[in-house]
Amino acid sequence: HVQLVESGGGSVRAGDSLRLSCAGSGYTHKDYCMAWFRQALGKEHEGIASIGDDGTISYKQSVKGRFTISQDSALLYLQMNNLKPEDTGTYYCAAVYAPCGGRLTEPEFGFWGQGTQVTVS
């Protein structure tokens, strides 16, 4: 079965950088859309970025130019630069067996990791 495990979160100051990683197993990665979501305390999951196996990438407008999603075989990354306090939240890796096609909402993704906390002060 599909397993996703995130790592790389932490507590940083505004302007700092972090790189999140997501190790995937139990699937072939071909034809999957991979994404990063975050959930601030008391709020719903919001899609941050997605990447398809054809390299198609989409970003939430507020992170464009600061965050970069990338994929290397079974590893998914999110490079986060110039972090802001509003970036604070639990970051989740997610996957769906389908082309990305611009999808970036929680109900569209069927597989989720356990999350990693990012706190920006």
Side-chain angles (χ1 to χ4, degrees):
H1 64 284
V2 176
Q3 282 192 311
L4 302 171
V5 180
E6 303 92 338
S7 61
S11 295
V12 297
R13 293 178 180 272
D16 285 353
S17 298
L18 277 176
R19 189 174 83 154
L20 305 182
S21 299
C22 173
S25 62
Y27 63 112
T28 63
H29 309 285
K30 180 177 170 53
D31 296 329
Y32 276 78
C33 177
M34 304 296 297
W36 287 99
F37 285 75
R38 72 182 172 205
Q39 186 176 30
L41 191 63
K43 296 189 177 181
E44 296 182 350
H45 288 84
E46 60 174 346
I48 299 300
S50 66
I51 184 168
D53 70 345
D54 62 353
T56 303
I57 291 175
S58 297
Y59 291 103
K60 177 180 173 64
Q61 185 63 38
S62 64
V63 306
K64 282 184 178 179
R66 298 190 299 122
F67 290 12
T68 302
I69 189 172
S70 62
Q71 187 167 268
D72 179 8
S73 186
L75 289 170
L76 180 71
Y77 301 102
L78 185 67
Q79 177 67 43
M80 304 186 293
N81 298 328
N82 190 23
L83 282 160
K84 303 176 180 181
E86 52 263 42
D87 295 320
T88 293
T90 303
Y91 282 70
Y92 296 89
C93 170
V96 60
Y97 182 63
C100 280
R103 67 182 74 235
L104 205 55
T105 64
E106 181 184 3
E108 296 174 293
F109 288 80
F111 303 103
W112 293 80
Q114 83 290 347
T116 186
Q117 178 67 32
V118 173
T119 303
V120 185
S121 60

